[in-house]
Amino acid sequence: MSIDNDVFLELNHELIKPLHNVDDLELWILWQKYPQQSRYLIMLFFRYADFPQKVAKNFHNLELSLPYLENLWFFMFDRLLNYNLEKKSLLSEIITQLVNEFLTAEKIIVTSTNKSDEHLEIRFFPLKYYLQKNLDKLSNIERIILLTKDKFNWENEKILDYLQQQKQTITLAEIKAYYTQAHSRLLNFLPIDIVSIYL
C-alpha cells in the first residue's frame, strides 16, 4: 500500500502539511510531550501505515486482517507513547520489534483475503484510537448505549430490552437522550486537532 496524498486526504490538511518535512524522531518526541496534539501521531502513522503488514509478511509469513492490524496499531500507539527514546532511536526498528512482540504474543494463524478497501479503513486508525481511549471517560450507561447503537446497529427498543434485563430502570426517551449526550461528550474529549483533521 502506497502512502498517497490522494488516498489519505488527511495528509493535505493545513495542520499536517507543516509536518511533512519534520523527521520521525522529532515528531515522536513532540507526540510524547503533547499527546493531546494528535497531528504528530497522525503524521508518523501515515509514514508507516503499511510497514507492519510488510514485517508480518516478511518475518511471520502472515497477511493481517484489518481487525488484527487495528489491534496491532493500537498496541503500538500505546507502547510508542511511553517508549524511552534515545537520540539514535529509529522508528522502523522499534515498529519491527513491536510487531514481532505482538504477533508472537497473539499467535495469529488466520490470514486475510479481501484487501480492496483496506486503505479506506486504515486511514481512520488514529481517530479510532483516540475514540477508544476516551470511551472510558463516559459513564457506563452512556458507553453501553453508544457502543450497542453505533457498533452493533441495535435499535433503541433492543437496547431498552437489554438494559431492562440488566435491571436498569430506563425509558426510550432516556436512551435517546443518553445517546446524544454520549456523542457530545465523546467529541469534547477528543483532541481539537483530530476533530479538525478527521471530522
Side-chain angles (χ1 to χ4, degrees):
M1 182 181 64
S2 60
I3 307 305
D4 188 333
N5 289 34
D6 294 328
V7 174
F8 301 106
L9 302 179
E10 294 78 13
L11 290 169
N12 299 313
H13 193 279
E14 60 184 12
L15 292 173
I16 297 294
K17 279 184 177 179
L19 304 178
H20 281 229
N21 295 321
V22 179
D23 69 58
D24 289 352
L25 188 58
E26 187 176 347
L27 285 171
W28 197 355
I29 290 169
L30 286 167
W31 181 50
Q32 287 191 338
K33 190 173 182 181
Y34 307 108
Q36 281 302 106
Q37 294 187 24
S38 65
R39 68 197 78 173
Y40 308 121
L41 168 64
I42 292 168
M43 187 70 245
L44 285 173
F45 169 73
F46 281 122
R47 285 183 184 173
Y48 289 88
D50 62 341
F51 191 71
Q53 194 72 275
K54 291 177 181 177
V55 174
K57 184 69 174 175
N58 293 338
F59 289 88
H60 301 269
N61 198 29
L62 287 173
E63 193 171 309
L64 303 179
S65 66
L66 277 169
Y68 275 122
L69 195 57
E70 181 178 298
N71 289 338
L72 169 57
W73 268 111
F74 289 3
F75 165 79
M76 290 195 297
F77 289 157
D78 282 339
R79 295 295 296 273
L80 292 172
L81 183 57
N82 299 297
Y83 196 88
N84 187 19
L85 289 172
E86 299 175 0
K87 288 184 178 180
K88 294 184 178 179
S89 293
L90 289 176
L91 190 55
S92 59
E93 292 181 359
I94 306 304
I95 288 177
T96 300
Q97 292 173 15
L98 293 176
V99 170
N100 289 333
E101 180 182 334
F102 179 85
L103 294 181
T104 301
E106 290 291 310
K107 297 181 172 58
I108 295 171
I109 57 174
V110 180
T111 59
S112 173
T113 52
N114 183 13
K115 298 182 64 178
S116 58
D117 293 325
E118 182 179 275
H119 62 278
L120 297 176
E121 296 288 336
I122 287 173
R123 62 185 284 215
F124 292 106
F125 283 1
L127 173 62
K128 292 172 79 173
Y129 173 73
Y130 275 95
L131 283 169
Q132 181 175 290
K133 287 295 177 186
N134 286 289
L135 274 173
D136 291 339
K137 297 178 182 177
L138 300 178
S139 68
N140 286 339
I141 191 76
E142 288 174 327
R143 193 164 52 247
I144 289 169
I145 291 170
L146 190 67
L147 289 174
T148 52
K149 194 168 178 66
D150 282 357
K151 189 167 186 177
F152 301 108
N153 298 312
W154 285 17
E155 297 294 333
N156 289 339
E157 291 76 11
K158 184 174 181 179
I159 297 171
L160 179 66
D161 289 343
Y162 171 77
L163 290 173
Q164 288 176 342
Q165 288 174 15
Q166 301 301 312
K167 310 300 182 189
Q168 293 278 351
T169 304
I170 194 168
T171 66
L172 275 176
E174 287 173 327
I175 286 175
K176 293 175 184 176
Y178 272 124
Y179 178 72
T180 301
Q181 175 179 298
H183 261 283
S184 178
R185 292 188 67 216
L186 187 57
L187 193 62
N188 288 334
F189 289 140
L190 291 175
I192 293 172
D193 59 352
I194 208 164
V195 173
S196 175
I197 292 164
Y198 280 101
L199 305 176

